Amino acid sequence: MSELKKQQNFRMTRQRGIILEELRRINTHPSADEIYEQVRKQQPRISLGTVYRNLEILSELGEIQKLETGSSIKRFDGNPVNHYHIRCICCDRVVDAPVEPLINTSKDIHEATNYKIIGHRFEFIGVCPECSDDAVAPGLEKVKYL
Amino acid sequence: MSELKKQQNFRMTRQRGIILEELRRINTHPSADEIYEQVRKQQPRISLGTVYRNLEILSELGEIQKLETGSSIKRFDGNPVNHYHIRCICCDRVVDAPVEPLINTSKDIHEATNYKIIGHRFEFIGVCPECSDDAVAPGLEKVKYL
DNA sequence: ATAGATGCAAAAGCTTTGCACAAGG
DNA sequence: CCTTGTGCAAAGCTTTTGCATCTAT
């Protein structure tokens, strides 16, 4: 599969183009379904399956990032440069975190564990300003992070 | 729901006890399904639903941790004290990371974003020694972390 | 006695996939 | 042309939930 992918010739279809454009235009880190709804405005017959397939391919190509947050749904980021995020525990929205990525932690870990370290994920968990305003922030009481 | 939970009286049923015991005994960060298989050896008629319900309750009580990794399945940790993990991209197994948790990052973030920061998650992504041995590590080629 | 827990099965939510047809290069 | 991509629908996987029954306390 590795080799296959690498010798594959990717085509820029209308669907793929719109998805990439859309992700580049916004910075809301949408889910596949949110992207689907958005793209449908220009390409009404696009299918969810196509959206998923293209998001997968675009992130393999390094054009976008698949954000594997602690949430049960994956989100996508049109900015391919590594950076950290803050996720709202109430509404699940994700924004960029204003901190520089850490470096050089991986080497120590490798020496201690013998794992090959490919990278790391750092995610702040919080409550966004909108959700903080709500009298009761649903889900808040369940949180057990540090 | 918040209040309800707090006034609730939790009972130590046989099922709940076995699940907690099992998690305390091991340090393999099992999934709900792996716990189910294990507990079934002592309590053959336990249902997966019961396992899920108990894992939820035990983590709300702070007895265990629900690990919301970037993987599509959640894992559980019998150690309730906050610490970081390394996840193998190939086999999805999780081990403890030999690093101290960071502190004091949250305040800056709050000031910059107005998010209430509850905590953070830090997860190393890597390839475990066992998977490194395999000629082809399935899934490796898809990785696009920093 | 009674609030809380269980087992079972169905359903829900997100994602992947098989297949026949369409279209990019 | 012919390989890659699409739309549609079905299936897959993890997790949640409704309900009747059971059981800690």
Side-chain angles (χ1 to χ4, degrees):
Chain A
M1 175 83 161
S2 177
E3 279 86 333
L4 277 179
K5 279 292 178 201
K6 269 162 199 154
Q7 6 181 294
Q8 212 172 348
N9 295 309
F10 294 98
R11 295 173 184 173
M12 186 47 68
T13 58
R14 181 158 169 68
Q15 290 85 337
R16 187 166 299 165
I18 297 174
I19 290 171
L20 182 53
E21 230 172 56
E22 203 55 38
L23 275 169
R24 284 279 151 75
R25 196 173 60 72
I26 60 182
N27 67 337
T28 51
H29 312 82
S31 64
D33 198 65
E34 287 164 354
I35 294 165
Y36 172 59
E37 288 305 335
Q38 191 60 30
V39 171
R40 250 177 358 145
K41 294 176 186 166
Q42 290 179 64
Q43 189 79 5
R45 312 215 27 175
I46 196 172
S47 75
L48 232 198
T50 295
V51 171
Y52 273 104
R53 277 183 289 231
N54 277 314
L55 290 170
E56 189 62 35
I57 288 171
L58 289 170
S59 68
E60 278 178 44
L61 291 175
E63 294 290 331
I64 65 172
Q65 283 189 78
K66 188 200 283 186
L67 305 183
E68 305 197 309
T69 71
S71 140
S72 57
I73 67 177
K74 291 183 177 45
R75 297 185 166 276
F76 296 85
D77 194 334
N79 175 2
V81 177
N82 181 69
H83 57 282
Y84 298 151
H85 297 97
I86 314 174
R87 176 166 56 93
C88 177
I89 197 83
C90 300
C91 65
D92 204 72
R93 274 181 298 199
V94 169
V95 300
D96 294 339
V99 287
E100 292 302 308
L102 304 168
I103 48 171
N104 276 346
T105 23
S106 306
K107 190 157 165 290
D108 304 338
I109 304 290
H110 173 65
E111 283 163 7
T113 65
N114 220 21
Y115 268 59
K116 287 183 191 166
I117 304 299
I118 295 167
H120 63 267
R121 286 190 315 103
F122 194 136
E123 177 183 32
F124 288 97
I125 315 292
V127 184
C128 73
E130 287 75 19
C131 287
S132 299
D133 285 345
D134 299 351
V136 177
L140 241 190
E141 73 283 350
K142 290 191 169 185
V143 185
K144 271 279 150 37
Y145 292 101
L146 86 154
Chain B
M1 176 86 161
S2 176
E3 279 87 331
L4 278 179
K5 280 293 179 201
K6 269 162 199 152
Q7 359 179 301
Q8 212 175 347
N9 295 308
F10 294 97
R11 295 173 183 172
M12 187 48 68
T13 58
R14 179 158 168 68
Q15 290 84 339
R16 186 165 298 164
I18 296 175
I19 290 171
L20 182 54
E21 228 172 55
E22 202 54 38
L23 275 168
R24 285 278 151 75
R25 197 172 60 71
I26 60 183
N27 67 336
T28 52
H29 313 82
S31 65
D33 198 64
E34 287 164 355
I35 295 165
Y36 172 59
E37 288 305 335
Q38 191 60 31
V39 172
R40 247 169 11 138
K41 293 176 186 165
Q42 290 180 63
Q43 190 78 4
R45 310 216 29 175
I46 195 172
S47 75
L48 231 199
T50 295
V51 172
Y52 273 104
R53 276 183 290 232
N54 278 313
L55 290 170
E56 189 62 35
I57 288 171
L58 289 170
S59 67
E60 279 179 44
L61 291 175
E63 294 289 332
I64 66 172
Q65 284 189 79
K66 188 201 284 187
L67 304 183
E68 305 197 309
T69 70
S71 139
S72 57
I73 68 176
K74 290 182 176 45
R75 296 185 166 276
F76 297 84
D77 193 334
N79 175 2
V81 177
N82 181 69
H83 57 284
Y84 299 149
H85 298 96
I86 315 174
R87 176 166 56 92
C88 177
I89 198 81
C90 301
C91 65
D92 203 73
R93 274 181 298 198
V94 169
V95 300
D96 294 340
V99 286
E100 290 304 307
L102 304 169
I103 49 171
N104 277 347
T105 23
S106 306
K107 191 158 164 291
D108 304 338
I109 303 290
H110 174 66
E111 283 162 9
T113 65
N114 221 22
Y115 269 58
K116 287 183 192 167
I117 303 298
I118 295 167
H120 64 266
R121 286 192 313 104
F122 194 133
E123 178 183 33
F124 288 97
I125 316 292
V127 184
C128 74
E130 286 77 19
C131 288
S132 299
D133 285 345
D134 298 350
V136 178
L140 240 191
E141 72 283 351
K142 290 189 168 186
V143 186
K144 272 280 150 35
Y145 292 100
L146 87 154

